[in-house]
């Protein structure tokens, strides 16, 4: 049998253990022998991923319950506006017509001139010319020139000599005359000339004297 240690040796061993425990507590002696040194090596960054980036799967979302919407009354529904339609062009302004034309005639042989009035539809004689005005009007405000225009015919018919029949008239002019442009449609006659001065309304009949 092994021999039991003596109380003295046991007491010395216990004292030694107490000393070692105090040193270990103060840090001067480590309770365990230091292990081998480990060198920490930084990990390499992972290579970048190419291609499409993976996305996390969508989370399961609960379907919301349908909400009951009250019906819309007829008062709340407004009528749809009519489609935009192009506006019709404004009606052209018609010229104002008058019943009297003022004409001036010239005898190129004697240099005698005469200004007279010719009512629409009533022939008027000047020497051997007979003027018949068919229409007389003035330009509208939107026209560039303020003008008077008359449509008339001019017949050449000399007066019948006593005891002789009247000669047949010969038309010397037919068309429009413009007061602002006498030379636009002139009367072509070897002896006489004539042009339009203006158009006007007939004077109202005067009241008979009492």
């Amino acid at each position: 049998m092994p021999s039991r240690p003596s109380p003295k040796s046991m007491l010395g061993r216990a004292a030694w253990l107490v000393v070692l425990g105090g040193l270990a507590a103060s840090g001067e002696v480590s309770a365990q022998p230091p292990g081998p040194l480990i060198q920490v090596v930084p990990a390499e960054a992972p290579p970048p991923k190419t291609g499409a980036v993976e996305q996390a799967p969508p989370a399961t979302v609960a379907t919301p319950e349908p909400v009951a919407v009250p019906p819309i009354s007829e008062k709340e529904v407004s009528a749809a506006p009519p489609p935009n339609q192009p506006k019709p062009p404004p009606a052209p302004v018609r010229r104002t017509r008058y019943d009297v034309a003022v004409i001036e005639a010239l005898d190129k042989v004697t240099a005698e001139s005469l200004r007279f009035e010719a009512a629409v539809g009533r022939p008027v004689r000047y020497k051997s010319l007979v003027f018949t005005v068919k229409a007389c009007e003035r330009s509208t405000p939107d026209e560039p020139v303020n003008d008077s225009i008359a449509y008339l015919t001019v017949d050449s018919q000399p007066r019948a000599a006593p005891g002789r029949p009247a000669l047949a008239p010969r038309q010397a002019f037919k068309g429009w005359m413009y007061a602002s442009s006498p030379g636009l449609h002139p009367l072509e006659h070897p002896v006489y000339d004539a042009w339009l001065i203006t158009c006007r309304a007939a004077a109202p009949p005067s009241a008979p004297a009492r």
Side-chain angles (χ1 to χ4, degrees):
M1 294 178 58
S3 62
R4 298 179 59 184
S6 63
K8 186 176 181 181
S9 61
M10 293 178 63
L11 181 60
R13 186 176 181 182
W16 178 250
L17 291 174
V18 171
V19 173
L20 289 177
L23 293 175
S26 62
E28 294 180 3
V29 178
S30 61
Q32 297 180 357
L37 297 176
I38 300 175
Q39 184 177 4
V40 180
V41 179
E44 295 181 0
K49 296 182 180 181
T50 59
V53 180
E54 288 190 17
Q55 298 181 355
T60 303
V61 180
T63 304
E65 296 182 1
V67 180
V69 180
I72 301 175
S73 62
E74 295 183 0
K75 295 181 179 180
E76 297 176 349
V77 179
S78 59
N84 294 332
Q85 297 180 355
K87 295 182 179 180
V93 181
R94 301 188 64 178
R95 292 174 175 174
T96 304
R97 291 207 166 187
Y98 297 85
D99 47 11
V100 173
V102 180
I103 301 172
E104 186 164 350
L106 172 67
D107 187 335
K108 293 185 284 186
V109 176
T110 62
E112 177 188 3
S113 64
L114 176 67
R115 182 173 294 188
F116 58 92
E117 294 181 354
V120 175
R122 296 181 61 181
V124 177
R125 174 179 288 275
Y126 170 75
K127 296 189 176 184
S128 63
L129 298 181
V130 178
F131 294 80
T132 304
V133 180
K134 305 293 185 179
C136 198
E137 57 190 27
R138 289 183 182 176
S139 56
T140 59
D142 58 346
E143 293 187 68
V145 179
N146 184 14
D147 201 0
S148 294
I149 310 101
Y151 186 83
L152 68 158
T153 59
V154 181
D155 296 329
S156 177
Q157 186 181 21
R159 296 180 184 272
R164 292 186 179 182
L167 299 176
R170 182 177 59 85
Q171 190 174 83
F173 177 83
K174 180 180 180 180
W176 292 93
M177 282 189 177
Y178 297 83
S180 62
S181 303
L184 185 60
H185 298 288
L187 170 65
E188 297 180 358
H189 194 275
V191 179
Y192 304 109
D193 195 3
W195 56 90
L196 176 67
I197 300 300
T198 187
C199 297
R200 69 170 185 83
S206 57
R210 293 182 181 180

